[in-house]
């Protein structure tokens, strides 16, 4: 059966010291309260090696928030998938709406990044989701379908089976507005059906599809209770160990 996952996305927050302290706090809480889901911390690049060294890898996975679309070479300021792998991290968040909006990441670029992440035996946590105008125009189904098709549908069924999806309506990210459980279930079921049409029911049923967008301890349970919501990608509420654990404890 597919895995339930709660993944934090720290974004550009926390100095190295603060980040290691937070990771250690999460680790200690989970040692005392065994989680019923996979837990992942998405840290800035500079934290990855130290966090991966400090946490119990049975309890806490570690994710980069991005990686380069090139293998190596003269790309000043970039970090390759192979470099991420060498830190001990196991996941890479790809296609976050902030990367798409502020750094021009297109589906074509994300296709390259996905291939490099998989080639380095890392797990992509691949983000999709519509902006408010697209939702209001009723285009959200088409938008997520296109994002998946253009960035991921070149993959073999075997490789697609290694991908985790995160549906994140952009209008809900960091806004305090959450998709209702019904809205989340409706589009998650649509996403799973889209996968089934391409790869068959087995691959679709094995794919974890996370929800992201103002998920917090007070609403996680009703979101995760939906049959097609397999956990969450958590921004703001992942920056405090207690809040993050409140979401993990929804499973
Ligand atoms: C995110 O950035 O992936 C996110 C879901 O943020 P927040 O939980 O703060 O809305």
């Amino acid at each position: 059966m597919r895995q339930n996952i709660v993944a934090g996305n720290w974004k550009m927050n926390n100095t190295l010291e603060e980040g290691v302290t937070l990771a250690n706090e999460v680790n200690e809480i989970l040692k005392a309260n065994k989680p019923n889901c996979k837990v992942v911390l998405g840290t800035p690049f500079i934290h990855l090696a130290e966090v991966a060294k400090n946490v119990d890898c049975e309890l806490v996975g570690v994710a980069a928030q991005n990686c380069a679309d090139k293998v190596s070479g003269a790309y000043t300021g970039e970090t390759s998938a192979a470099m991420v792998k060498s830190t001990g991290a196991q996941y890479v968040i790809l296609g976050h709406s902030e990367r798409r909006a502020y750094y021009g990441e297109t589906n074509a670029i994300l296709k390259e990044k996905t291939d490099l992440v998989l080639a380095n035996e890392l797990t992509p946590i691949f983000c999709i989701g519509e902006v408010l105008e697209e939702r209001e125009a009723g285009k959200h189904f088409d938008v997520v379908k296109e994002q998946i098709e253009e960035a991921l549908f070149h993959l073999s069924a075997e490789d697609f089976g290694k991908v985790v999806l995160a549906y994140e309506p952009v209008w809900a990210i960091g806004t305090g507005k959450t998709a209702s459980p019904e809205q989340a279930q409706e589009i998650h079921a649509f996403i799973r059906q889209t996968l089934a049409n391409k790869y068959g029911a087995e691959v679709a049923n094995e794919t974890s599809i996370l929800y992201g967008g103002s998920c917090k301890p007070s609403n996680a349970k009703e979101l995760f209770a939906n049959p097609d919501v397999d956990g969450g990608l958590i921004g703001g509420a992942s920056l405090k160990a207690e809040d993050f654990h409140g979401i993990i404890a929804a499973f």
Side-chain angles (χ1 to χ4, degrees), residues 7-11 93 96-98 127 166-170 172-177 211-216 232-238 247:
N9 174 13
W10 292 358
K11 310 194 185 190
I93 298 169
H96 191 281
S97 62
E98 289 150 18
C127 304
Y167 167 69
E168 300 207 299
V170 180
I173 296 179
T175 60
K177 274 192 210 163
Y211 167 80
S214 299
C215 187
K216 36 190 186 273
L233 180 56
I234 317 299
S238 71
I247 296 171

Side-chain angles (χ1 to χ4, degrees), residues 8-11 13-20 23-24 40-57 60-68 78-93 117 122-123 125:
N9 174 13
W10 292 358
K11 310 194 185 190
N13 291 295
N14 291 324
T15 62
L16 179 58
E17 198 184 347
E18 289 163 350
V20 170
N24 285 338
V40 178
L41 299 177
T43 83
F45 288 127
I46 65 139
H47 298 65
L48 291 172
E50 200 61 21
V51 168
K53 206 163 53 182
N54 273 265
V55 297
D56 177 348
C57 63
V60 182
V62 181
Q65 300 170 17
N66 180 31
C67 71
E78 288 293 291
T79 300
S80 70
M83 292 171 187
V84 171
K85 177 76 179 180
S86 73
T87 67
Q90 307 89 7
Y91 297 82
V92 182
I93 298 169
V117 165
L122 292 158
T123 299
I125 300 177

Side-chain angles (χ1 to χ4, degrees), residues 118 155-163 199 203:
L118 289 171
L155 296 174
S156 65
E158 190 189 343
D159 277 346
F160 191 87
K162 299 169 188 163
V163 174
Y199 293 112
V203 170

